[in-house]
Amino acid sequence: KKEWDRYTTAMKYIEHLFAYLNRHWIKRESDDGKKEVFEVYVLALIIWRQTLFTPLKSRLTNALLALIEKERNGEQIDTTLVQGVVNGYVMIGLNKDKPRDHTLDIYKQYFEEQFLSATEVYYTAESSQFISVNSVSDYMKKVVTRLDEELKRVTDYLHPDTQKELIAKCDRVLIDKHRDTIWAEFKNLLEDDKLEDLGRMYQLLSRIERGLEPLKEILEKHVQDKGTDAVQSVVKTAITNPKIYVETVLKVHKKYNDLVNTAFRTDSGFVAALDKACRRFINDNAVTKLAKSSSKSPELLAKYCDMLLKKSPKNPEEQETTRILDDVMLVFKYIEDKDVFQTFYSKMLAKRLIHSTSASEYLEGQMISRLKQNCGYEYTSKLARMFNDMALSRELQERFKNSLGSKDVGVDFSVLVLATGSWPLQPPSTNFLIPKELQQCEQLFSKFYSNEHSGRKLNWLHQFS
């Protein structure tokens, strides 16, 4: 390198001295088509290549490879020396048609090919020996370190064009050749919740073709089994306790959703595997089997919503309830029979509205909004009309009171007028005679309503009073 630096520096000075020759005579000769006439500096490079490089190229390349192997073995080397020599390979690769331009022909033919072959031999031996006496976790750490070292090597003294082939070679030798062994460890890492190792495995296997495919299948089965086991462990209480059932399901989902988002970087394939697993164990588990009904999951979820939205001193603050509703929608997403959920939910909503037991109109609206986003307008249209009926009933009640003027009916009387098509309410199964004190109020309201809405008929549902 020292002689190369002296030589190229001297040639730059000499070329400067002969600048006139370059600009005139040499340019004219080149323009006339004479191929063996070169500018002074280019001629110097050709002389160096023919006189020094060609006879010594094998020894020079072997010396470079020996230095690089020493560095891989942990020894300190003079990287500026290697960089200078490698740069020489590039500079003497001259373009025949445009001698002032450099090509990578010499660099690739006499250094890069041998370097990549030596890399394959070195890492084949090292990886086979290391993985045979160490754990897969330790091996993956070693691979990450080696890949980082090779990238630094490119930055320190190799030509940037080498990086793609070098890293592809390392991926094949260090990862692809040992993928079966790495795959076999995946289930153990899942069982032991080794998040860092799982993230490292994803990082490495994503570098090779189809490296992640078996992991998705293993994750799907693992989550399904864990979900099934979790529900089985609480089946006796969960079948009658919606809170325990939903929280058990959510606990499993949260654990593996966090895993997918962190270790697997929200990879769409792993997201799909998680979704499939959750859909299976939520719709088919110990609770649904004990109830002998696949509709048990949507029923329990609807009842859990009712617990959250009904007035109770045990319920959390509004902001916390809103967050829990988001969790509820995670489970709802996996429910297959969403019509069953709608049936139960609408009945419970009707009771909350009729008996004024809703904890908050805001929360009720938030839940319907989430259902609408998930299933569309038609799914929630009846629910929305139920709220609309409540608002219209309040206005109608006010107008009725105003129509009475100063007339005293003797009781505090209120009526809800609800559209038959929107409310899941059934007529009474037995005849019910209201007290005489209320009969006058009922008759007055019926007359008032007929005047307000000609042609409409009122069916009195006294059992909901």
Side-chain angles (χ1 to χ4, degrees), residues 91-110:
M91 291 187 67
I92 61 177
L94 303 172
N95 189 323
K96 291 181 180 180
D97 298 322
K98 296 180 179 180
R100 294 293 294 189
D101 296 338
H102 300 286
T103 71
L104 295 177
D105 294 347
I106 298 293
Y107 171 80
K108 286 185 173 294
Q109 183 178 353
Y110 296 109

Side-chain angles (χ1 to χ4, degrees), residues 299 302-307 310 343-353 357 364 386 424:
E299 177 189 341
K303 288 180 177 179
Y304 182 60
C305 292
D306 186 53
M307 291 171 59
K310 189 183 291 183
T343 300
F344 279 99
Y345 186 86
S346 61
K347 288 179 180 178
M348 294 172 196
L349 173 61
K351 289 181 180 180
R352 291 196 301 274
L353 294 178
T357 55
E364 295 283 7
M386 288 165 71

Side-chain angles (χ1 to χ4, degrees), residues 149-367:
E149 289 174 357
E150 294 304 321
L151 286 173
K152 187 175 184 299
R153 193 159 285 121
V154 174
T155 304
D156 286 348
Y157 51 74
L158 299 177
H159 191 276
D161 195 67
T162 301
Q163 178 174 315
K164 184 177 179 181
E165 289 191 56
L166 171 61
I167 298 304
K169 181 79 71 176
C170 291
D171 287 345
R172 283 196 298 274
V173 174
L174 297 174
I175 305 171
D176 201 17
K177 285 187 176 181
H178 300 284
R179 63 182 180 180
D180 290 338
T181 305
I182 298 173
W183 285 341
E185 186 66 14
F186 182 64
K187 184 168 178 56
N188 295 331
L189 296 181
L190 282 175
E191 290 285 355
D192 297 336
D193 296 324
K194 299 286 188 180
L195 297 185
E196 286 190 16
D197 289 331
L198 288 167
R200 201 172 287 115
M201 183 179 289
Y202 173 85
Q203 175 190 347
L204 295 177
L205 290 174
S206 64
R207 302 169 70 98
I208 63 173
E209 187 176 358
R210 300 187 66 78
L212 297 173
E213 294 307 310
L215 305 192
K216 297 170 188 175
E217 296 175 7
I218 296 171
L219 175 69
E220 182 181 333
K221 186 176 188 310
H222 178 81
V223 174
Q224 184 178 344
D225 291 345
K226 290 298 179 183
T228 301
D229 293 344
V231 175
Q232 178 68 54
S233 67
V234 297
V235 62
K236 291 182 180 179
T237 51
I239 195 166
T240 56
N241 190 321
K243 187 173 187 290
I244 290 177
Y245 180 75
V246 175
E247 288 181 351
T248 300
V249 169
L250 281 171
K251 186 177 179 182
V252 176
H253 178 271
K254 184 180 186 308
K255 176 180 179 179
Y256 291 103
N257 188 59
D258 290 346
L259 171 66
V260 169
N261 288 336
T262 53
F264 305 142
R265 302 178 187 180
T266 323
D267 183 292
S268 60
F270 287 91
V271 171
L274 173 64
D275 287 346
K276 287 179 184 177
C278 289
R279 189 171 291 109
R280 285 201 184 100
F281 86 78
I282 287 174
N283 292 286
D284 182 14
N285 55 50
V287 167
T288 61
K289 288 173 182 172
L290 185 60
K292 296 180 180 178
S293 171
S294 60
S295 64
K296 195 63 181 177
S297 276
E299 177 189 341
L300 289 171
L301 185 62
K303 288 180 177 179
Y304 182 60
C305 292
D306 186 53
M307 291 171 59
L308 289 172
L309 298 172
K310 189 183 291 183
K311 287 178 183 176
S312 170
K314 297 180 181 179
N315 280 355
E317 295 294 325
E318 192 173 85
Q319 185 176 358
E320 175 63 13
T321 304
T322 302
R323 185 197 63 76
I324 297 174
L325 290 179
D326 288 332
D327 291 339
V328 166
M329 293 310 298
L330 290 175
V331 181
F332 177 79
K333 178 177 71 171
Y334 299 118
I335 294 293
E336 288 180 347
D337 200 342
K338 291 181 170 57
D339 288 340
V340 172
F341 174 89
Q342 185 194 44
T343 300
F344 279 99
Y345 186 86
S346 61
K347 288 179 180 178
M348 294 172 196
L349 173 61
K351 289 181 180 180
R352 291 196 301 274
L353 294 178
I354 291 172
H355 299 299
S356 299
T357 55
S358 283
S360 160
E361 280 196 24
Y362 170 77
L363 290 175
E364 295 283 7
Q366 286 294 303
M367 185 61 190

Side-chain angles (χ1 to χ4, degrees), residues 16-161:
H16 184 68
L17 292 173
F18 289 96
Y20 182 84
L21 185 68
N22 282 341
R23 286 198 305 269
H24 296 284
W25 186 80
I26 291 177
K27 184 178 184 305
R28 185 173 66 248
E29 293 294 302
S30 297
D31 292 343
D32 289 343
K34 294 186 178 178
K35 298 293 185 183
E36 300 302 318
V37 177
F38 304 100
E39 292 183 8
V40 173
Y41 186 72
V42 174
L43 181 61
L45 293 177
I46 293 172
I47 292 172
W48 178 277
R49 184 175 67 189
Q50 293 175 344
T51 308
L52 288 171
F53 175 77
T54 300
L56 299 173
K57 61 180 182 288
S58 296
R59 290 173 58 191
L60 187 60
T61 299
N62 289 336
L64 281 175
L65 296 179
L67 282 174
I68 294 172
E69 184 169 335
K70 281 185 177 182
E71 187 184 38
R72 283 173 172 159
N73 289 332
E75 298 180 37
Q76 291 289 327
I77 66 168
D78 185 354
T79 56
T80 57
L81 170 64
V82 179
Q83 182 187 37
V85 176
V86 167
N87 191 46
Y89 278 77
V90 176
M91 291 187 67
I92 61 177
L94 303 172
N95 189 323
K96 291 181 180 180
D97 298 322
K98 296 180 179 180
R100 294 293 294 189
D101 296 338
H102 300 286
T103 71
L104 295 177
D105 294 347
I106 298 293
Y107 171 80
K108 286 185 173 294
Q109 183 178 353
Y110 296 109
F111 172 74
E112 187 182 82
E113 289 181 8
Q114 290 88 328
F115 168 72
L116 293 174
S117 296
T119 298
E120 182 172 8
V121 171
Y122 181 87
Y123 283 130
T124 297
E126 182 189 70
S127 62
S128 298
Q129 189 278 330
F130 190 91
I131 204 169
S132 66
V133 295
N134 292 279
S135 67
V136 172
S137 294
D138 288 337
Y139 176 73
M140 290 191 297
K141 292 176 185 175
K142 179 79 170 177
V143 172
V144 171
T145 300
R146 284 305 200 186
L147 290 171
D148 289 341
E149 289 174 357
E150 294 304 321
L151 286 173
K152 187 175 184 299
R153 193 159 285 121
V154 174
T155 304
D156 286 348
Y157 51 74
L158 299 177
H159 191 276
D161 195 67

